[in-house]
């Protein structure tokens, strides 16, 4: 009997190991997401100087990728539902590869913007496919932790981009200086994106298709083959029946794959995903990663140290993501999100109060006395609170709350909303900050407070449920009592 138990444990461990490997491979799309969002940081000043850009054009060059991301995320759902999750990953890899080459050899601002848009399309696709794929290949007892790999991959991508920017600039003694073969360091920052794009494409070619997509296409034999290879201890026939049952149940209520509903034109569950995505961005997390120089200068750091501080902040972000991965399947989604909302609200409100005490020195805010360290600590508490909660857990929920027949498209809508919200925060911070940093951080604190109320009132717990059970829980939660 002990031999049998040992064999069962060994089989389960081997199965989990294979699934974890698949999830890590799928999460590489998140790495491209993070890399692309931060690689431009080290290139902003040399691009502005070389192309003679105004502040408006500089902002457009930086934020243009986010527009591409929103469009890519929106289109990803249709592509994934018609062609599959794996072909969609390959399209994203190719687009990012082309963008890296184009940006590296851009001859003017307008073609740079064009190539940034192309890269954004690829990143938008990857940002949708990764959480959908991970959720669809993960067992319920691991789905939260594996879904969190998306955010971990994003934070790693941010770190690698900032680190590579620092190394290229340091090797050339300046981002605007020539490095190898007469090519400036800032161009090498973009060209470095070729490496993760190629790796992502090669890895995607070796991944199995999502079983749930195969069920949608009536390819049951392919599903059995995948179960035999990756989940040999699981009951494939029962899993197929469960997935097909949920698909048929969803089709009874509406046309297959329809997103339309009675709540402002969309199904309520789609709005849940959209609002989660918007709140994740409207707390202002990307202000810390995109515009941290302003904050660190205001608390007394030299401008030359700002990039190193950003790298350190990205390391903190990675570390706390591991905390979320460890807890999400033990503690649950709701408690982590609620805890993170409280931490973010307190930290952002503290930053608003700190900047209310700032003095103007050469028309720039300067925090004197204890207020500088207070703002610095508050900013890091904000990063920790976000990185351990809303960063990874929102991606977990987006991967598991939508019905199978609309998952890819609904996730595409939610991710597009996230990119648009990211764009709005990115382009609005400079003018808002020039008016009042107190107002700016106070507004982010307000959205952090609203995020608590939204989770408390609307989002039920999905921990420990199968993917099919999780997606129906949100529907049942909204049915009026009879």
């Amino acid at each position: 009997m002990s031999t049998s138990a040992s064999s069962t444990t060994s089989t389960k461990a081997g199965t989990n190991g294979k699934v974890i490997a698949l999830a890590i491979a799928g999460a590489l799309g998140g790495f491209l997401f993070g890399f692309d969002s931060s690689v431009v940081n080290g290139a902003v000043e040399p691009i502005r100087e070389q192309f003679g850009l105004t502040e408006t054009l500089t902002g457009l060059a930086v934020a243009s990728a986010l527009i591409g991301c929103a469009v890519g995320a929106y289109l990803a759902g249709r592509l994934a539902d018609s062609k599959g999750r794996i072909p969609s990953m390959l399209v994203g890899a190719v687009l990012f590869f082309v963008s890296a080459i184009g940006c590296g050899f851009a001859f003017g601002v307008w073609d740079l913007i064009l190539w940034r848009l192309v890269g954004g399309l690829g990143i938008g696709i990857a940002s949708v496919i990764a959480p959908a794929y991970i959720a669809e290949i993960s067992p319920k007892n691991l789905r939260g932790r594996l879904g969190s790999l998306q955010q971990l991959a994003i934070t790693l991508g941010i770190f690698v981009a900032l680190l590579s920017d620092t190394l290229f600039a340091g090797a050339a003694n300046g981002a605007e200086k020539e490095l190898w073969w007469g090519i400036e360091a800032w161009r090498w920052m973009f060209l470095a994106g070729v490496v993760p794009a190629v790796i992502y494409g090669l890895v995607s070619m070796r991944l199995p298709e999502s079983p749930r997509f195969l069920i949608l296409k009536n390819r049951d034999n392919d599903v059995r083959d995948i179960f035999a290879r990756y989940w040999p201890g699981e009951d494939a026939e029962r899993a197929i029946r469960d997935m097909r049952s949920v698909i048929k149940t969803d089709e009874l209520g509406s046309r297959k794959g329809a997103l339309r509903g009675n709540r402002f034109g969309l199904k309520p569950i789609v709005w849940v995903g959209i609002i989660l995505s918007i709140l994740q961005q409207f707390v202002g997390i990307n202000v810390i990663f995109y515009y941290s120089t302003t904050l660190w200068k205001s608390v007394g750091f030299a401008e030359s140290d700002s990039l190193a501080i950003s790298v350190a902040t990205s390391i903190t972000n990675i570390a706390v993501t591991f905390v979320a991965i460890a807890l999400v399947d033990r503690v649950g989604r709701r408690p982590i999100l609620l805890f993170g909302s409280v931490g973010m609200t307190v930290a952002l409100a503290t930053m608003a109060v700190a900047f209310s005490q700032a003095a103007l020195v050469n028309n720039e805010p300067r925090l004197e006395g204890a207020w500088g360290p207070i703002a610095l600590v508050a900013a890091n508490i904000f990063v920790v609170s976000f990185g351990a909660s809303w960063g990874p857990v929102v991606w977990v929920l987006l991967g598991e709350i939508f019905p199978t027949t609309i998952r890819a498209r609904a996730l595409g809508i939610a991710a597009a909303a996230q990119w648009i919200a990211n764009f709005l925060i990115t382009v609005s911070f400079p003018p808002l900050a020039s008016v009042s940093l107190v107002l700016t951080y106070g507004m982010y604190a307000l959205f952090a407070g609203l995020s608590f109320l939204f989770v408390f009132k609307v989002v039920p717990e999905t921990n420990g449920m199968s993917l099919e059970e999780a997606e129906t829980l949100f529907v049942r939660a909204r049915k009026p009592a009879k």
Side-chain angles (χ1 to χ4, degrees):
M1 184 165 181
S2 60
T3 302
S4 176
S6 175
S7 176
T8 301
T9 302
S10 177
T11 300
K12 185 175 181 180
T15 299
N16 287 345
K18 292 177 181 178
V19 173
I20 291 170
L22 292 180
I24 291 173
L28 286 175
F31 184 91
L32 295 185
F33 178 162
F35 188 94
D36 183 74
S37 68
S38 292
V39 72
V40 71
N41 283 3
V44 171
E45 289 305 318
I47 287 173
R48 186 197 318 237
E49 294 174 6
Q50 183 162 340
F51 297 146
L53 306 184
T54 63
E55 292 294 331
T56 301
L57 275 178
T58 301
L60 183 59
V62 172
S64 57
L66 301 177
I67 300 298
C69 289
V71 175
Y74 178 77
L75 296 177
R78 296 181 181 277
L79 180 63
D81 281 343
S82 62
K83 302 299 181 183
R85 279 47 167 164
I86 304 306
S88 300
M89 291 182 185
L90 292 172
V91 171
V94 169
L95 289 172
F96 189 71
F97 177 89
V98 171
S99 171
I101 298 294
C103 290
F105 293 104
F107 54 82
V109 64
W110 293 111
D111 76 308
L112 176 65
I113 290 173
L114 172 63
W115 297 122
R116 293 276 290 160
L117 283 168
V118 169
L121 288 172
I123 301 308
I125 291 172
S127 72
V128 169
I129 302 306
Y133 183 78
I134 292 171
E136 291 178 350
I137 56 93
S138 300
K140 64 183 180 181
N141 63 310
L142 292 176
R143 195 176 62 245
R145 275 170 280 180
L146 297 183
S148 299
L149 290 175
Q150 164 80 347
Q151 180 65 18
L152 178 62
I154 292 171
T155 61
L156 286 170
I158 292 171
F159 167 72
V160 171
L162 293 172
L163 181 62
S164 65
D165 283 1
T166 303
L167 294 176
F168 283 129
N173 293 318
E176 75 286 354
K177 302 286 182 60
E178 292 184 356
L179 186 52
W180 301 306
W181 302 308
I183 300 173
E184 298 97 324
W186 70 266
R187 294 183 183 274
W188 282 108
M189 295 175 186
F190 287 114
L191 291 171
V194 166
V195 177
V198 169
I199 293 174
Y200 183 50
L202 293 176
V203 169
S204 298
M205 293 172 67
R206 298 183 61 84
L207 293 177
E209 185 53 85
S210 160
R212 285 173 173 80
F213 171 78
L214 295 174
I215 291 294
L216 283 174
K217 300 301 180 182
N218 296 311
R219 294 165 56 183
D220 293 14
N221 287 334
D222 291 337
V223 175
R224 294 185 183 97
D225 291 341
I226 291 173
F227 268 79
R229 182 177 179 184
Y230 293 98
W231 299 279
E234 298 292 326
D235 187 342
E237 298 305 320
R238 179 178 178 180
I240 290 172
R241 287 196 303 271
D242 289 345
M243 286 185 278
R244 194 171 296 285
S245 174
V246 170
I247 291 171
K248 288 182 179 179
T249 299
D250 187 72
E251 288 176 345
L252 291 176
S254 62
R255 179 177 56 85
K256 182 179 178 181
L259 297 177
R260 294 183 179 181
N262 58 1
R263 300 290 177 87
F264 300 101
L266 294 173
K267 292 180 182 294
I269 189 59
V270 179
W271 280 114
V272 171
I274 290 172
I275 294 172
L276 281 170
S277 293
I278 290 174
L279 288 174
Q280 188 199 49
Q281 295 301 314
F282 272 18
V283 297
I285 185 62
N286 283 316
V287 166
I288 298 295
F289 291 112
Y290 294 169
Y291 298 107
S292 57
T293 301
T294 301
L295 176 61
W296 307 140
K297 284 175 64 178
S298 68
V299 298
F301 286 96
E303 187 172 4
S304 59
D305 296 329
S306 63
L307 192 54
I309 296 172
S310 295
V311 172
T313 302
S314 70
I315 294 174
T316 301
N317 202 21
I318 293 171
V320 296
T321 302
F322 280 107
V323 175
I325 291 173
L327 296 178
V328 67
D329 284 324
R330 298 179 183 178
V331 177
R333 282 63 157 156
R334 267 173 58 90
I336 292 176
L337 288 176
L338 293 172
F339 175 81
S341 294
V342 171
M344 291 188 300
T345 303
V346 172
L348 289 166
T350 301
M351 292 176 71
V353 172
F355 279 103
S356 72
Q357 306 301 311
L360 285 178
V361 178
N362 295 325
N363 290 323
E364 291 188 359
R366 174 72 61 174
L367 298 178
E368 299 176 345
W371 289 110
I374 287 173
L376 184 59
V377 170
N380 280 281
I381 290 175
F382 170 53
V383 171
V384 168
S385 298
F386 179 89
S389 62
W390 277 78
V393 176
V394 166
W395 287 110
V396 173
L397 285 172
L398 291 180
E400 67 187 8
I401 63 175
F402 299 121
T404 302
T405 51
I406 66 168
R407 179 171 294 120
R409 271 180 277 183
L411 223 166
I413 295 290
Q418 189 171 128
W419 285 114
I420 292 170
N422 188 348
F423 175 80
L424 293 175
I425 291 296
T426 301
V427 300
S428 67
F429 178 75
L432 284 173
S434 66
V435 174
S436 172
L437 282 170
V438 178
L439 171 66
T440 304
Y441 286 110
M443 181 182 68
Y444 299 153
L446 174 62
F447 282 114
L450 290 175
S451 73
F452 179 93
L453 294 176
F454 181 73
V455 172
F456 187 79
K457 292 286 188 181
V458 176
V459 180
E461 184 57 71
T462 58
N463 188 31
M465 297 181 175
S466 70
L467 203 57
E468 287 72 32
E469 291 170 331
E471 66 190 35
T472 57
L473 178 60
F474 282 77
V475 177
R476 291 201 304 270
R478 283 164 178 74
K479 286 184 178 180
K482 291 184 179 179

